[in-house]
Each structure stands twice: as structure tokens, then as C-alpha cells.
Amino acid sequence: MSASEQGPKIKYGESAPKPDKAQLQFMKLIEEQNLDRVQKLKRIRRNNLLTAGALGVSVLAIYGYSIFSVQQEKFLDDFEEPKKMAQPSARVLQSGMRLPPMPTIRELVKLYRLQARKQLSQNFLMDERLTDKIVKSAGRIDPKDLVLEVGPGPGGITRSILRRHPQRLLLVEKDPRFGETLQLLKECASPLNIQFDIHYDDILRFNMEQHIPDTSQRIHLIGNLPFAISTRLLINWLDDLAARRGAFRRIDTCMTLTFQQEVAERICAPVGGEQRCRLSVMSQVWTEPVMKFTIPGKAFVPKPQVDVGVVKLIPLKRPKTQLPFHLVERVVRHIFSMRQKYCRRGYGTLLPPEDREEVAQKLFERAEVQDTLRPFELTVEQCLRLAEVYSEHLVTRPDVAAYDYRAPKNAEVL
Ligand SMILES: C[S@@+](CC[C@H](N)C(=O)[O-])C[C@H]1O[C@@H](n2cnc3c(N)ncnc32)[C@H](O)[C@@H]1O
């Protein structure tokens, strides 16, 4: 601005006229208003600062809490696994180790032209949900456990077992044609760090103690059994269980096995049940058999004539008898040899004919069992008491142990 544009300078001390009263009041009013405005601005500034502070603290709190919670989650994971995470499959997924994508069992069967062999009771399960369900029926499989699978065939159940991540998996398969598919599975499973052994052998001759010398691992016996051998295999294993040998050196070895539906029902049949038979009593002396579920025949390829029952047999911690397996088996077999007659008829065939009636009566009395019950009406305990008194009788009459009422020289009409 030039000097000409500026107004004249006022020298207040000299020439300025003194403000009158009204002007002074006006100035005072303006001054008060200015003071008010300054106070207001100060208040607004203070409030802004407070709000900014509060926001800052909140942001820091949220940030801090997020970091803390993430750490807390990690800690909880180690300490108490949530139910879902306790599943070994979840563990495998968490660690990033899982089976790589593979051809389906159906594709493998086609690819390797694996025609089912009737003489080996081969019926394949292709549905992963069913194979998973069978393995789930075995209960919890810990990362230190060993699973022995009987007759893996092309490997459907084997895959479901691998997803449960045991420490060791042992396969026993009689048919070497499955070599390629099982080897493929073994290679795919190598990142899982599971000890994976395949034996091409007959399970009925398989030496458990030789292949599983260490008893520190819990064993799960799992298998979609060949029908042709299922009952024989179960009887063999019950024998091993009674003697605490083979896979049963540990009392917690459970069996999760498939049977023809009717056989499965017999194994689990209660006293008085229509299906009650020798197999029910023998299974229930040393184990608690649990019927898990039924697989319709149409789920198998090729389709068998019958449906299939999945049974889990849990060894009893305290077996109901200390008698040897073969003695119990002999007595129970004789009792059930005449299923619809009074139980004294079948039991009597254990004894030579000369004094049969008399001795049998005494033994029934000593066992406190009513001899007019039908075999299927006898409890396991009653069968065992009849076995015990028979065993005591052998002490005084050892010759009776060798008596066989079917032998030609003893042939008779009962
Ligand atoms: C019913 S198939 C089950 C196949 C396969 N686990 C599945 O579920 O699709 C029975 C399997 O047991 C095998 N097998 C038959 N007799 C056997 C035996 N004595 N010892 C071992 N495996 C046997 C058969 O070769 C067949 O692979």
C-alpha cells in the first residue's frame, strides 16, 4: 500500500479526542465479547485435545488387545485343544501335512484292472464316507498308536486310517495284486512321517509278536474282513486275548471289524436273543462287543448277497474267567450243540455215557444252574460256572477230557 493510500496518522496522546462515555461503554462491550470468544475457543481446543486423546487411547487399546488375544489363542491351543482340533485329522491339516490329491479308489481299481476275487471274499468299499465311518468306529487314535489293517485291498480304509495319523500303520494283505496301489499310497503318505509297513501274508498265520515286538504302542485292529475267514480270525484273536499274547499283550487292543450282518448280530446277541449262540458267549466272555452300524450290501463292489455289520470288540479290563480258552470253548460248543433242547442235553455230551446223567446232574447242582434252561437262555456267567465245575471234574476224572461223543467207538444215540 502506498503512503498516499494510507490515512493520516493519529497521535492519540496529543490530538485524539477523548472518547465519550458511550464510546467507552461500546469499547468495553467489544472487549468483553472478545474475551468471551477467546474463552470459547480455548474450551473448544481443550475438548478437541481430549477427544483426540481418547481416540488415540482406544486405538492403542484395540491394537494391544488384538496382539494379546492372538498370543492367548496360541497358548490355549497347546494347553487344552478344542474338541475339533483334538481330532488327529485336524492335527494333520493344521500342520499342513495331508495326503496329496490321488486318484479315487474306483479309478485305481479300473486303472490296475483289479477284478475282485471271489475265493478271497473280495468286496471293495469305494465310498470314502463309509471307510471314514468304519475308522471312526475304532474311537480315538492317538499319534503314538499303531493300526493294523487286515485285507486293505486297493486301500480305501487305509486312506481313512492315514487321515487319523497313527505313528505306525501295518497292512496285512494276502493278494499281492494290490502291491502297486498300496505302494502308491505309501509314497503319497511319506510326508506324514507314518511308519508304513506292507506285508503280503495270510492274517491267520501272521506272527504279531515278531512284527510288533514293542508293546509300548497301543494297537487298533481294523479291517473289512473277508467273510471266508472272519469268524475263524475272531476266534483266533479271542484265544490270543485270553492268553494275553500276540496283539493282546496289552489289554487295550480293540478290534473294529466287519462281518456279515447276521454274524455281527450273533456276536452282540443278548441272553434270550434269537441270535444268541456260541459266538455270542465266546465274544462276551473276554470282550464287550458293540454293534456300530450296518453297511448295505449295495455299497460294495461287487455287491455281496448280504448286508455288513461293523462291530467294535473292546477287551474287558477284568476278564470274566481265568479258565483256558480251549476249555471254555469246548464246554460252550457242547452246550450250544443242541440249541433248542434243555442245556443239560448238549452239556451231557461232554461226559461218557456210563454215568452221564448222574454226573451231569451233580455238575449242574454245583454250578447252581437250572438244567432245563435252553442254551440261548444261559448268561455268560452261568456258562462259565458250568465250565468251572467241568474243569474241577477233570481233576478227578482226567480221562473225560479226551472223551469225544462223535468218535466212532463212542457213537451212540442220544
Ligand atoms: C472284503 S475285501 C476288503 C478290501 C478293502 N479293505 C475294502 O474295504 O475295500 C477283503 C480283503 O482281504 C484280503 N484277504 C482275504 N483273505 C485274507 C487273508 N487270509 N489274510 C489277509 N488278507 C486277506 C482280500 O484280498 C481283500 O483285499
Side-chain angles (χ1 to χ4, degrees):
M1 192 186 287
S2 64
S4 59
E5 286 171 321
Q6 289 175 3
K9 278 191 179 165
I10 299 166
K11 289 182 185 166
Y12 288 103
E14 299 156 18
S15 55
K18 287 224 185 272
D20 60 19
K21 205 176 169 186
Q23 282 174 324
L24 277 173
Q25 264 179 345
F26 179 70
M27 281 165 71
K28 206 173 171 190
L29 187 75
I30 294 294
E31 213 171 282
E32 274 171 7
Q33 277 180 352
N34 278 344
L35 213 65
D36 255 9
R37 211 176 298 148
V38 167
Q39 296 290 357
K40 216 180 203 171
L41 283 173
K42 268 188 181 170
R43 264 203 311 278
I44 289 172
R45 205 165 157 216
R46 199 186 56 220
N47 286 350
N48 282 348
L49 277 174
L50 279 175
T51 311
L55 280 173
V57 169
S58 313
V59 168
L60 281 177
I62 291 168
Y63 187 60
Y65 177 73
S66 311
I67 292 172
F68 174 75
S69 345
V70 170
Q71 279 173 348
Q72 186 80 351
E73 257 173 39
K74 254 194 204 160
F75 169 72
L76 286 177
D77 271 354
D78 296 339
F79 192 64
E80 47 168 3
E81 286 179 327
K83 241 188 187 168
K84 246 188 158 179
M85 287 299 161
Q87 295 293 327
S89 50
R91 262 200 312 269
V92 177
L93 291 176
Q94 260 182 344
S95 62
M97 293 187 297
R98 53 172 146 165
L99 285 174
M102 290 175 68
T104 63
I105 292 293
R106 198 178 288 276
E107 286 162 349
L108 285 177
V109 167
K110 251 193 189 164
L111 189 69
Y112 292 103
R113 295 168 198 269
L114 296 168
Q115 288 274 327
R117 285 203 174 139
K118 224 179 178 179
Q119 66 271 31
L120 287 177
S121 308
Q122 290 178 345
N123 305 96
F124 306 136
L125 260 183
M126 311 286 195
D127 187 336
E128 219 173 72
R129 284 164 306 176
L130 287 172
T131 56
D132 278 352
K133 202 170 169 188
I134 292 177
V135 177
K136 196 171 168 219
S137 300
R140 193 190 159 97
I141 295 176
D142 283 330
K144 282 186 185 163
D145 293 353
L146 182 155
V147 178
L148 183 145
E149 189 193 350
V150 184
I157 296 178
T158 319
R159 290 186 191 196
S160 298
I161 296 171
L162 286 170
R163 285 195 282 271
R164 304 290 298 279
H165 209 251
Q167 190 172 73
R168 187 176 171 202
L169 174 59
L170 210 154
L171 306 179
V172 184
E173 171 57 63
K174 196 171 178 182
D175 188 347
R177 289 182 310 145
F178 296 113
E180 279 166 311
T181 53
L182 295 177
Q183 194 55 36
L184 177 76
L185 204 51
K186 180 173 176 173
E187 278 157 26
C188 289
S190 65
L192 304 184
N193 283 328
I194 295 173
Q195 189 186 336
F196 194 132
D197 305 317
I198 312 173
H199 294 273
Y200 297 99
D201 206 344
D202 183 341
I203 190 65
L204 295 169
R205 290 185 322 203
F206 190 72
N207 187 331
M208 293 277 184
E209 292 180 20
Q210 185 193 332
H211 293 287
I212 314 173
D214 180 11
T215 54
S216 66
Q217 279 177 309
R218 183 174 176 212
I219 302 172
H220 303 263
L221 302 171
I222 299 181
N224 175 15
L225 293 182
F227 290 155
I229 65 156
S230 59
T231 311
R232 193 145 40 111
L233 183 62
L234 175 60
I235 291 289
N236 284 2
W237 279 350
L238 290 174
D239 188 4
D240 286 350
L241 173 56
R244 303 288 302 277
R245 62 171 182 246
F248 299 91
R249 282 163 288 161
R250 286 176 63 117
I251 198 70
D252 55 2
T253 300
C254 288
M255 299 166 257
T256 307
L257 308 169
T258 58
F259 298 90
Q260 293 178 42
Q261 178 67 17
E262 203 183 314
V263 178
E265 281 167 13
R266 283 193 206 150
I267 292 169
C268 305
V271 181
E274 211 181 300
Q275 306 281 10
R276 184 80 164 174
C277 66
R278 173 173 76 110
L279 196 55
S280 336
V281 175
M282 293 307 289
S283 305
Q284 293 168 27
V285 169
W286 287 281
T287 73
E288 181 198 344
V290 184
M291 174 69 98
K292 287 293 186 175
F293 65 103
T294 301
I295 308 176
K298 64 174 191 281
F300 295 86
V301 179
K303 175 180 175 294
Q305 303 280 319
V306 290
D307 289 345
V308 169
V310 179
V311 181
K312 180 176 182 186
L313 295 113
I314 307 159
L316 296 175
K317 286 214 172 74
R318 264 186 253 132
K320 292 182 174 164
T321 184
Q322 293 304 322
L323 288 172
F325 180 87
H326 74 270
L327 187 132
V328 178
E329 195 277 330
R330 181 172 159 84
V331 172
V332 175
R333 179 160 32 92
H334 279 257
I335 291 175
F336 278 91
S337 63
M338 296 179 202
R339 200 174 179 280
Q340 295 305 330
K341 306 242 165 77
Y342 292 154
C343 62
R344 68 169 180 241
R345 290 296 301 277
Y347 187 77
T349 58
L350 286 163
L351 309 162
E354 303 84 67
D355 52 1
R356 174 176 294 151
E357 291 301 320
E358 191 189 319
V359 175
Q361 196 185 340
K362 265 193 209 154
L363 296 184
F364 269 95
E365 278 168 17
R366 216 180 301 156
E368 297 180 356
V369 176
Q370 202 183 318
D371 62 1
T372 52
L373 288 172
R374 314 274 166 180
F376 57 88
E377 294 172 321
L378 292 172
T379 63
V380 168
E381 287 72 17
Q382 286 171 323
C383 289
L384 288 174
R385 285 210 299 278
L386 288 170
E388 267 154 30
V389 293
Y390 170 73
S391 161
E392 285 160 15
H393 179 63
L394 295 184
V395 176
T396 49
R397 290 282 309 274
D399 56 302
V400 172
Y403 173 70
D404 178 2
Y405 86 103
R406 287 186 195 273
K409 64 181 160 82
N410 296 315
E412 56 180 306
V413 180
L414 283 163

